[in-house]
Amino acid sequence: MRHYSLPDAVGISAGAPQPPSLYEWDGGSDAFERLFGRFYEKVVDDESPSPLFAGMSENHPHPVALRISEAFGGPPNTRPTTAGYENMLAHETGRSPATGSHRLRRANCRAVTCR
């Protein structure tokens, strides 16, 4: 079995421009900040999932935007107060679990926000 190198597999040769990351295609940090700011505005006003976000700080969308930006190919999130999966889980500990209807309404809020 032959193993392919990245340039062979995706057609990138030395000196050729790299395709943009999803982070870049989506508009970079400003776009992620706007997206998550609007999403959290919508979700806290929605009757079904809003209890899951009770007590959320006004700054909550910012660290979420940083984490998601990194996952989409943006700059590494190195801020010790927001970095890491463990930190994210710590914010969720003790909250009431999301039900199927909560997840559906939250997904709907995401879809509406992206329009």
Side-chain angles (χ1 to χ4, degrees):
M1 178 175 176
R2 178 176 178 201
H3 294 277
Y4 295 93
S5 68
L6 181 61
D8 292 336
V10 296
I12 299 171
S13 60
Q18 297 286 325
S21 66
L22 290 174
Y23 169 81
E24 292 165 327
W25 263 337
D26 286 344
S29 64
D30 290 341
F32 278 85
E33 292 286 343
R34 283 192 312 274
L35 174 67
F36 286 97
R38 288 182 185 144
F39 167 71
Y40 283 106
E41 287 172 5
K42 290 184 182 306
V43 81
V44 298
D45 289 337
D46 191 292
E47 185 178 311
S48 177
S50 64
L52 300 174
F53 299 93
M56 177 182 72
S57 75
E58 287 183 25
N59 187 46
H60 182 77
H62 178 68
V64 173
L66 288 175
R67 281 192 293 275
I68 302 300
S69 293
E70 182 179 6
F72 277 67
N77 176 15
T78 57
R79 293 178 41 189
T81 57
T82 60
Y85 185 69
E86 292 79 14
N87 184 276
M88 181 186 68
L89 287 179
H91 289 285
E92 304 301 323
T93 302
R95 295 196 183 268
S96 60
T99 65
S101 65
H102 290 139
R103 286 189 288 277
L104 180 61
R105 290 299 304 155
R106 197 168 42 189
N108 185 54
C109 287
R110 283 190 198 112
V112 168
T113 301
C114 291
R115 289 185 194 157

